[in-house]
Amino acid sequence: MAQVLRARRRGGGGREEPIALVVCCCLGFAANVAQLVGLDVASLVKEIKERVQTVSQNKEDCELLAERAELILDLLGRLQKSKVIEDPDMWKPTERLRSTLRRACEVIEFCRERSCTYRFCKSDHTAKELRKVLKALKFCVTHLTALVTIINGDQTTRYFLVQQTPDVVQLQDGVLAPALGLPAQHFKYNDRNDRGETLGISGKAQLVTEPSSVNEPGLKRFAFSQLEVATDNFSLENQIGVGAFSIVYQGQLNEGLEVAVKRASYVDKIPFHQLENELDLIPKLQHTNMRVFTVLEERRYQIQVVHYAPSNGCKGLVRRGTASLGKQVPSNFQRWKGRVVLSHMNWKGTSHCLLSPPQINQPDAAVGLPAAVTTGELLGYCTRKRERILVFEYMPNRSLDSFITGERATKEPLDWPKRSQIVRGIAQGAVYLHKLCEPRIIHGGLKPGNILLDASLKPKICDFGISKALKADADKDCTGVVVGSRGFMAPEYKQGGCLSLQTDVYSFGATLLQIIRGKHISPSSLALSDESRNYGPLNKWAWNLWKDGNLMELIDPSLHDETHAAEMKRWVQIALLCVQQSPEERPSMWDVLLMLSCDSVILPEPKLPAYYC
Ligand SMILES: Nc1ncnc2c1ncn2[C@@H]1O[C@H](COP(=O)(O)OP(=O)(O)OP(=O)(O)O)[C@@H](O)[C@H]1O
């Protein structure tokens, strides 16, 4: 069979040499790794396809096998166009590809066998081998798809600004190549763009060998094999999200619980850091989150706090037991016409705002503050060699972006009441992070892709990979490292590498504009400079329309027959306040929540948004 598997030619000493070797000699090593793989793989795939035509057993599986082999060839072809292939180490995970394809050829050959003796003795073995090969090919498809997807940057473009030395800031536009299972030292982020600028994260990638210590008693440590089973071996079919740093899979644990399994894509320090950051921060959020405002009952002028914030959780907003309004209730909460109100002092004077009618046993409704709005529950984690995996509760409606700009935008467009519930929920979550948590947290990556929706479309902010816990007296965190998504990053963050509460406000504003605009892109006549596109592409358009008093044009056409036009326009104005160029001019998230919740709060005139020109 060997002769049909590899084309050969006569070498100098009359020996036969595989074509691959010949190619390797003719071309420089680095440049030809991909071609080498390509050639060899192409002939193997061709062989497989031919043999499948005449199999007599396991026909369906053989056909599936041929399909996967063809897909692999296609993916390799796409990857060849990418510079990443010049690094031979990027191909390490495909090293076994050729041997797998050879096994595939062999096993298909067995399936062509028609003799009864063979069937009697070997058919069991063949079926097993076939399943193994199918599984191995599936792994390869997943790996290559991840490479293709991320190299092509299927989502919003990412930027990485890295301060190598205190005064050198470098920019990368586009997504860096990740690879599952590659040793960290194989990553080199030194590509240059056509202007000769250095791209990407430079510096030595470091292997993180030991998992960070996890002291959270509530978190479960999962075995890798358990997650393999839960996600059908991290199969492509189970893949539900590809981020810049991880791939997320839907899975089902033995006990039937649906989970989202977030597996780090890089083996570099940076993505590990992202997942470890989440592992560190999320349990803190959950602790405060679950215990604060769990049940609030209003009895005339009394508010009974059944659950309460632990002393190290939130800032002592509530106390255990029964408190009389106006006495033990913190100053932000006051009695007003017999209702719980939030009184706010620093936005154009004092405004009193009834956030929502109090309802018995409905915690968030009672005071309009976030109960369990901040994040999906982190159930546990898994570390094994170079693997870093987080396991979350599964959110059946996944992320907001698919409803706003993705395929569900047309199939299941959200009406205004749903959108406004989501917007308020995000604002509540951000207030919770900025004001109520101890330490306060800057999310750093607010955008529709990082808002998960539960079964009733309640939003949960996810992805705390780049979030920062603020020191008590700090209001920003400057690392010089910038990671974010085009369109949602505040200009001062992109330029200076400092995350602040105000950069989150900017991202919230850009998200709000997108939620209001929906899928429909801005008019082609709108000349946007590259800079404008980087910072909230809708800013300029919204600003122009606001000045012309023509805001309805910005609003998603599917909402035009709704009866909420006034509120929609008001919210565009709020979004414009959030995306103002100057961080000092932007409202706080607390202000935003008030403005969203109270029509009576008079909105100031927005000033120029970031990158208007
Ligand atoms: N708990 C979950 N339930 C359902 N879907 C989820 C869950 N967590 C994540 N996803 C899906 O996976 C996608 C990527 O998740 P996440 O944003 O956490 O990854 P990431 O690698 O940090 O991505 P990025 O940094 O590019 O935003 C989400 O947009 C969402 O569609």
Side-chain angles (χ1 to χ4, degrees):
M1 188 192 313
Q3 64 274 27
V4 283
L5 297 184
R6 274 180 286 172
R8 289 168 183 266
R9 68 154 223 182
R10 294 263 159 213
R15 274 179 304 108
E16 278 190 336
E17 290 172 354
I19 273 188
L21 267 183
V22 175
V23 174
C24 197
C25 299
C26 301
L27 304 171
F29 180 72
N32 65 42
V33 175
Q35 293 164 22
L36 194 157
V37 170
L39 271 178
D40 210 10
V41 168
S43 59
L44 285 168
V45 172
K46 188 163 172 265
E47 184 62 30
I48 290 170
K49 279 172 60 187
E50 278 169 16
R51 291 181 186 204
V52 164
Q53 310 287 327
T54 48
V55 292
S56 59
Q57 306 162 50
N58 305 311
K59 198 166 169 45
E60 259 179 40
D61 279 349
C62 288
E63 279 167 0
L64 182 62
L65 192 150
E67 262 172 40
R68 284 192 185 159
E70 218 178 341
L71 184 57
I72 285 169
L73 189 61
D74 176 57
L75 291 166
L76 286 170
R78 290 200 226 173
L79 281 170
Q80 280 184 320
K81 292 183 195 133
S82 159
K83 277 199 161 188
V84 76
I85 57 160
E86 287 176 11
D87 183 348
D89 293 329
M90 291 301 291
W91 293 95
K92 290 233 158 158
T94 58
E95 263 173 5
R96 268 184 289 163
L97 175 62
R98 269 180 276 183
S99 60
T100 308
L101 288 172
R102 282 189 201 113
R103 273 170 70 198
C105 266
E106 279 163 12
V107 78
I108 290 178
E109 188 61 31
F110 287 137
C111 293
R112 294 162 96 190
E113 183 63 65
R114 285 166 196 276
S115 82
C116 296
T117 333
Y118 169 82
R119 284 188 188 185
F120 185 72
C121 307
K122 286 277 193 180
S123 62
D124 226 27
H125 170 78
T126 306
K128 265 192 202 148
E129 176 68 1
L130 189 54
R131 276 198 297 275
K132 277 190 200 157
V133 173
L134 272 171
K135 209 169 168 181
L137 287 180
K138 199 170 177 182
F139 170 80
C140 228
V141 170
T142 309
H143 170 76
L144 292 172
T145 308
L147 278 178
V148 169
T149 314
I150 299 171
I151 288 165
N152 292 342
D154 76 330
Q155 297 178 326
T156 40
T157 311
R158 289 194 152 255
Y159 285 85
F160 296 75
L161 279 165
V162 176
Q163 206 152 359
Q164 284 178 303
T165 63
D167 27 12
V168 184
V169 175
Q170 294 176 339
L171 165 71
Q172 189 230 340
D173 183 350
V175 178
L176 295 174
L180 296 167
L182 284 183
Q185 61 270 30
H186 295 152
F187 287 91
K188 293 176 190 147
Y189 301 120
N190 302 342
D191 276 355
R192 288 182 172 269
N193 69 9
D194 45 14
R195 293 186 301 280
E197 295 160 346
T198 307
L199 298 176
I201 296 172
S202 182
K204 216 171 160 26
Q206 291 173 30
L207 189 65
V208 181
T209 45
E210 283 306 310
S212 63
S213 56
V214 181
N215 299 320
E216 278 307 326
L219 290 184
K220 181 171 174 183
R221 184 169 189 148
F222 288 90
F224 187 72
S225 55
Q226 214 177 338
L227 299 180
E228 275 184 316
V229 172
T231 59
D232 191 15
N233 202 21
F234 296 99
S235 71
L236 201 57
E237 290 81 9
N238 285 36
Q239 202 170 291
I240 52 173
V242 180
F245 304 107
S246 64
I247 300 182
V248 183
Y249 300 85
Q250 183 178 358
Q252 195 170 43
L253 298 177
N254 274 346
E255 58 272 29
L257 183 68
E258 292 258 57
V259 287
V261 178
K262 184 170 178 175
R263 184 187 195 193
S265 300
Y266 292 55
V267 189
D268 173 52
K269 186 180 169 193
I270 292 157
F272 274 4
H273 171 72
Q274 309 257 336
L275 261 71
E276 289 181 354
N277 203 31
E278 293 208 69
L279 195 53
D280 184 39
L281 283 179
I282 294 176
K284 291 192 180 104
L285 296 172
Q286 289 179 347
H287 277 195
T288 53
N289 212 7
M290 287 189 294
R291 289 176 202 161
V292 177
F293 306 119
T294 315
V295 182
L296 288 176
E297 285 177 37
E298 196 203 37
R299 292 205 191 123
R300 300 201 63 187
Y301 300 140
Q302 285 206 321
I303 185 166
Q304 186 186 10
V305 183
V306 178
H307 288 263
Y308 66 102
S311 54
N312 63 349
C314 286
K315 285 182 173 172
L317 272 172
V318 288
R319 294 194 191 171
R320 187 205 276 273
T322 304
S324 294
L325 285 180
K327 285 187 179 171
Q328 294 175 25
V329 175
S331 58
N332 284 325
F333 296 90
Q334 290 181 4
R335 195 187 67 210
W336 182 68
K337 294 187 183 170
R339 296 273 169 90
V340 179
V341 297
L342 187 63
S343 127
H344 187 66
M345 304 292 185
N346 64 5
W347 186 260
K348 300 262 159 185
T350 305
S351 52
H352 295 284
C353 171
L354 177 66
L355 288 175
S356 58
Q359 287 168 32
I360 303 295
N361 290 339
Q362 285 200 8
D364 350 18
V367 287
L369 277 171
V373 79
T374 319
T375 177
E377 192 178 351
L378 176 62
L379 304 170
Y381 65 97
C382 165
T383 55
R384 193 190 67 158
K385 294 184 187 164
R386 295 184 225 108
E387 293 284 355
R388 294 293 184 277
I389 301 174
L390 297 179
V391 181
F392 291 90
E393 86 180 286
Y394 177 69
M395 292 290 146
N397 276 308
R398 302 195 188 161
S399 49
L400 174 61
D401 57 344
S402 65
F403 280 103
I404 297 297
T405 47
E407 57 180 36
R408 286 191 286 185
T410 16
K411 282 190 204 145
E412 309 161 58
L414 296 172
D415 60 13
W416 184 252
K418 286 198 193 96
R419 286 189 214 205
S420 60
Q421 169 194 315
I422 291 167
V423 170
R424 282 204 184 93
I426 304 168
Q428 287 177 342
V431 167
Y432 182 80
L433 296 175
H434 286 187
K435 224 167 159 69
L436 305 181
C437 283
E438 189 65 55
R440 293 163 298 144
I441 288 170
I442 303 169
H443 183 271
L446 283 179
K447 60 174 185 178
N450 284 338
I451 309 297
L452 298 177
L453 300 170
D454 72 7
S456 58
L457 292 176
K458 271 204 184 148
K460 309 241 178 186
I461 299 171
C462 75
D463 194 359
F464 287 78
I466 59 166
S467 303
K468 300 283 174 201
L470 274 177
K471 296 204 177 91
D473 50 352
D475 58 3
K476 56 166 85 159
D477 185 292
C478 298
T479 54
V481 178
V482 179
V483 182
S485 296
R486 188 190 265 254
F488 299 95
M489 252 194 297
E492 72 275 13
Y493 173 49
K494 188 175 169 230
Q495 281 150 14
C498 290
L499 276 178
S500 68
L501 301 176
Q502 297 315 97
T503 56
D504 268 0
V505 173
Y506 181 92
S507 308
F508 174 85
T511 303
L512 177 53
L513 281 178
Q514 191 139 86
I515 292 174
I516 294 170
R517 178 58 193 160
K519 194 181 168 88
H520 309 274
I521 47 162
S522 44
S524 52
S525 59
L526 188 72
L528 285 173
S529 66
D530 263 3
E531 288 297 83
S532 304
R533 281 180 209 286
N534 291 338
Y535 304 109
L538 288 175
N539 292 3
K540 180 179 179 179
W541 192 32
W543 171 253
N544 283 341
L545 292 172
W546 183 77
K547 275 197 311 181
D548 299 345
N550 203 8
L551 280 183
M552 275 320 275
E553 228 183 90
L554 184 91
I555 290 159
D556 188 337
S558 75
L559 298 171
H560 277 198
D561 59 348
E562 302 251 2
T563 52
H564 304 278
E567 186 172 64
M568 291 176 202
K569 287 195 237 167
R570 183 179 160 84
W571 286 24
V572 179
Q573 191 175 341
I574 297 171
L576 279 171
L577 288 167
C578 295
V579 297
Q580 290 174 107
Q581 170 77 48
S582 158
E584 292 78 36
E585 300 283 353
R586 294 177 207 147
S588 68
M589 279 314 303
W590 190 253
D591 299 324
V592 172
L593 181 58
L594 277 173
M595 292 187 282
L596 292 171
S597 310
C598 311
D599 292 346
S600 57
V601 175
I602 297 161
L603 303 185
E605 302 267 298
K607 300 203 172 114
L608 268 185
Y611 283 84
Y612 168 70
C613 42

